[in-house]
Each structure stands twice: as structure tokens, then as C-alpha cells.
């Protein structure tokens, strides 16, 4: 790209954005390990997180959830496309009905709140 085309390019684009992304081996092997451990196949839902990257939420054949974060959408697609046992899907009724979170998943997602027994009063309550 020329310097003039860089100035007119949408924010976030770089000269490297036109290249195809090679799937990072750590991300690919992590997703492959998840698939092997949870039924041999998975559906991946790609969810952009802004500057943080793209969340690749995996639903294994046994319904267990897993997720990884890719640096960008192009890389996320490259990783998923490189694995025959993973398909890209959407959060529709069929996929949502299969999900079975593993024991302790809710507590992990709740973070510090999961262990609380006492909560402060709501500030907007009467």
C-alpha cells in the first residue's frame, strides 16, 4: 500500500491486513486438544471482542463449552478452517440446546462473586 492509500484506509487496517493469516500453532493445537477430549467434533462461534481479538467459543460434540481468543477474525477463521472436525456456527436454537456446561463452569464465569455470601444493597433500589 502506498502512504496515500494508508491515510485513506479505514482505521485498524495495516499493510499486513491484506495477507492471509497462518493459524498460530499453539491456538490450533489447543482447539484440537479440546475437540479430541470432547467427542471428536465441535462447533465454533466466532465473536469479535474489539481490540482484544476474537473469542472462539467451542461447543464440543458432548455439549461442553470451551473458548479461546484469537488476535483477529482472519486468524480465527484460519484456525477453524485448518481443522476438519470444527465447523463455524451461530448461537441458534439447535446449538444452544446442546450446550451442557461442565461442573463448576458457572462459578468460574462468575469470578469473585461466586464465593460471596453477602452482597451490598442495590444503589438503585428503594
Amino acid at each position: 500500500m502506498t502512504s496515500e492509500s494508508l491515510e485513506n484506509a479505514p482505521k485498524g487496517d495495516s499493510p499486513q491486513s491484506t495477507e492471509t493469516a497462518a493459524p498460530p500453532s499453539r491456538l490450533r493445537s489447543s482447539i484440537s486438544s479440546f475437540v479430541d477430549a470432547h467427542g471428536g467434533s465441535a462447533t465454533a462461534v466466532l465473536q469479535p471482542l474489539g481490540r482484544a481479538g476474537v473469542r472462539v467459543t467451542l461447543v464440543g460434540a458432548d455439549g461442553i463449552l470451551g473458548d479461546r481468543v484469537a488476535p483477529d477474525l482472519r486468524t480465527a477463521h484460519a484456525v477453524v478452517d485448518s481443522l476438519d472436525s470444527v465447523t463455524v456456527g451461530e448461537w441458534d436454537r439447535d446449538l444452544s440446546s446442546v450446550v451442557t456446561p461442565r461442573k463448576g463452569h458457572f462459578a468460574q464465569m462468575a469470578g469473585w462473586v461466586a464465593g460471596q455470601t453477602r452482597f451490598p444493597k442495590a444503589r438503585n433500589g428503594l
Side-chain angles (χ1 to χ4, degrees):
M1 295 180 108
T2 65
S3 62
E4 182 181 24
S5 64
L6 279 176
E7 292 173 4
N8 296 331
K11 291 183 179 177
D13 282 358
S14 66
Q16 297 147 348
S17 67
T18 58
E19 300 171 8
T20 56
S25 59
R26 285 181 61 183
L27 183 60
R28 187 181 187 286
S29 67
S30 176
I31 291 174
S32 180
S33 296
F34 175 85
V35 170
D36 292 342
H38 296 285
S41 66
T43 301
V45 180
L46 307 179
Q47 304 163 105
L49 299 172
R51 290 183 181 171
V54 175
R55 179 180 304 271
V56 180
T57 304
L58 302 162
V59 179
D62 59 357
I64 300 295
L65 286 171
D67 71 329
R68 304 295 182 264
V69 177
D72 55 37
L73 192 57
R74 184 172 287 131
T75 304
H77 275 291
V79 170
V80 171
D81 292 344
S82 71
L83 297 166
D84 293 334
S85 56
V86 179
T87 57
V88 177
E90 295 291 326
W91 286 120
D92 56 9
R93 178 181 230 160
D94 294 333
L95 185 60
S96 298
S97 66
V98 174
V99 174
T100 310
R102 65 179 160 67
K103 184 176 180 172
H105 185 80
F106 297 111
Q108 180 182 0
M109 295 303 291
W112 67 272
V113 176
Q116 297 298 307
T117 56
R118 188 170 157 245
F119 294 95
K121 290 183 179 181
R123 294 180 184 169
N124 61 351
L126 295 176

